[in-house]
Amino acid sequence: MELAGVLQLGELAAAFAALPVFPLFDTAYFIVSVLYLKYEPGAVEMSRKSPFASWLCAMLHCFGSYILADLLLGESPIDYFSNNSSVILATAVWYLIFFCPMNLFYKCVSFLPMKLIFVAMKEVVRVRKIAAGVHHAHHRYHHGWFIMMATGWVKGSGVALMSNFEQLLRGVWKPEKNEILHMSFPTKASLYGTILFTLQQTRWLPVSEANLIFFFTMFMIVCKVFMTATHSHASPFAPVESFICPVFFGSVSSGHTSHHHDQHGASHEVSHPPPPPAKSKEELNEGTRKRKAKKAE
């Protein structure tokens, strides 16, 4: 019975991996991507003042990962725009979200139960893109582990990695919001996922690609749906990172601890009442004149 259950799970994973993402899952991916664009401050005003700039930003949100991956592999960054069906579909989603009368389309897709479904479908596309990026890089660089990981990473989180450039198109410059410095959960998950897919592609991880796609997709769906439903920004990796990072990279609070000790030491030293301030030269001269005046009297 256990063997039959394993076989059935393998068949389910294979069927899931072969499931086409266009147009249903791609539509959900475009909807969530353009929704995040509309949430940005000033995005609605920009769409009215400069629709073309708004459209470019929407295309970066939808296809930024493909642009970065093509740049890494030495291909044309506009190669994916030859896919007319995807570009037209993304454009239609952008237009409906920003310009639909009475914001009807936006109200429908941003309704939380609907939005959770779209978020789950977007993670299906994300994991497929990571796997496809690693597979594509492995086809060209059989022993280039870091090239595979870099390609899969930007395929999964290219939009976030291009956030500074996208901000420039909107007339905003926020270098402190660099995704490399402050990684969000999708960026971290894409990085860890591309490591797993690279190990699988190089035969170091004894798992089939279909099974890895299935299980990693389920993990991403559960995490993202829960975070979206609870409006949480806490990373599920935080407990593990808080345990591992101090061991391998040192504790950030070590320097602050010594600083706090210095501050506490200084506070102990100044806890005694300070000595009375020394009199200035002018005050001494004034006192001397008063004593001389008393003697004269």
Side-chain angles (χ1 to χ4, degrees):
M1 292 296 295
E2 294 181 358
L3 181 60
V6 172
L7 291 177
Q8 290 178 1
L9 182 61
E11 293 176 358
L12 175 63
F16 180 79
L19 192 67
V21 296
F22 185 86
L24 192 61
F25 290 93
D26 276 345
T27 302
Y29 184 91
F30 297 151
I31 288 174
V32 177
S33 299
V34 180
L35 274 178
Y36 288 156
L37 171 62
K38 190 166 184 176
Y39 293 156
E40 293 292 334
V44 177
E45 291 78 3
M46 180 190 64
S47 66
R48 303 301 189 268
K49 295 178 181 178
S50 179
F52 181 69
S54 176
W55 177 81
L56 281 178
C57 292
M59 294 305 103
L60 283 181
H61 274 260
C62 295
F63 307 118
S65 56
Y66 297 101
I67 295 173
L68 272 184
D70 289 339
L71 287 174
L72 286 180
L73 297 176
E75 300 175 358
S76 173
I78 61 173
D79 183 63
Y80 192 81
F81 285 87
S82 62
N83 191 339
N84 297 325
S85 301
S86 295
V87 176
I88 293 174
L89 180 59
T91 302
V93 169
W94 162 77
Y95 185 84
L96 289 173
I97 288 180
F98 277 93
F99 302 105
C100 181
M102 302 176 62
N103 266 343
L104 289 178
F105 187 79
Y106 169 75
K107 292 176 182 178
C108 291
V109 297
S110 61
F111 181 55
L112 186 58
M114 291 294 297
K115 185 180 178 181
L116 294 180
I117 296 174
F118 294 139
V119 166
M121 296 172 69
K122 179 180 180 179
E123 296 311 309
V124 174
V125 180
R126 188 195 305 275
V127 177
R128 297 289 189 87
K129 288 164 66 176
I130 295 173
V134 172
H135 182 78
H136 188 189
H138 179 260
H139 180 72
R140 298 188 57 177
Y141 303 94
H142 296 287
H143 304 288
W145 283 35
F146 292 99
I147 298 178
M148 298 179 207
M149 287 188 287
T151 307
W153 187 35
V154 300
K155 272 292 189 74
S157 58
V159 179
L161 296 174
M162 294 183 69
S163 59
N164 289 108
F165 179 71
E166 186 268 335
Q167 289 170 3
L168 287 178
L169 289 179
R170 292 189 285 111
V172 181
W173 174 240
K174 296 180 180 179
E176 70 277 3
K177 290 189 176 181
N178 192 325
E179 189 68 19
I180 302 295
L181 296 176
H182 308 284
M183 289 190 185
S184 59
F185 167 73
T187 303
K188 284 185 178 182
S190 298
L191 178 60
Y192 299 148
T194 193
I195 294 174
L196 293 177
F197 280 100
T198 300
L199 293 176
Q200 188 278 329
Q201 195 68 233
T202 54
R203 303 290 186 256
W204 283 84
L205 188 64
V207 179
S208 66
E209 184 179 25
N211 286 334
L212 185 56
I213 289 175
F214 177 78
F215 287 112
F216 194 70
T217 302
M218 294 301 108
F219 168 76
M220 291 294 294
I221 288 176
V222 171
C223 291
K224 279 295 293 179
V225 168
F226 176 79
M227 293 173 68
T228 305
T230 58
H231 302 285
S232 172
H233 297 285
S235 172
F237 304 120
V240 179
E241 291 173 347
S242 63
F243 175 76
I244 294 178
C245 291
V247 176
F248 290 97
F249 306 109
S251 177
V252 179
S253 60
S254 58
H256 296 286
T257 304
S258 61
H259 180 64
H260 291 318
H261 285 314
D262 293 341
Q263 287 184 340
H264 292 319
S267 64
H268 290 309
E269 291 176 1
V270 301
S271 60
H272 303 289
K279 293 183 177 180
S280 64
K281 186 177 180 180
E282 296 173 353
E283 292 175 342
L284 291 174
N285 292 337
E286 181 67 18
T288 304
R289 285 196 297 270
K290 288 181 178 179
R291 285 195 297 271
K292 286 181 180 182
K294 287 181 180 180
K295 288 181 181 180
E297 293 176 357

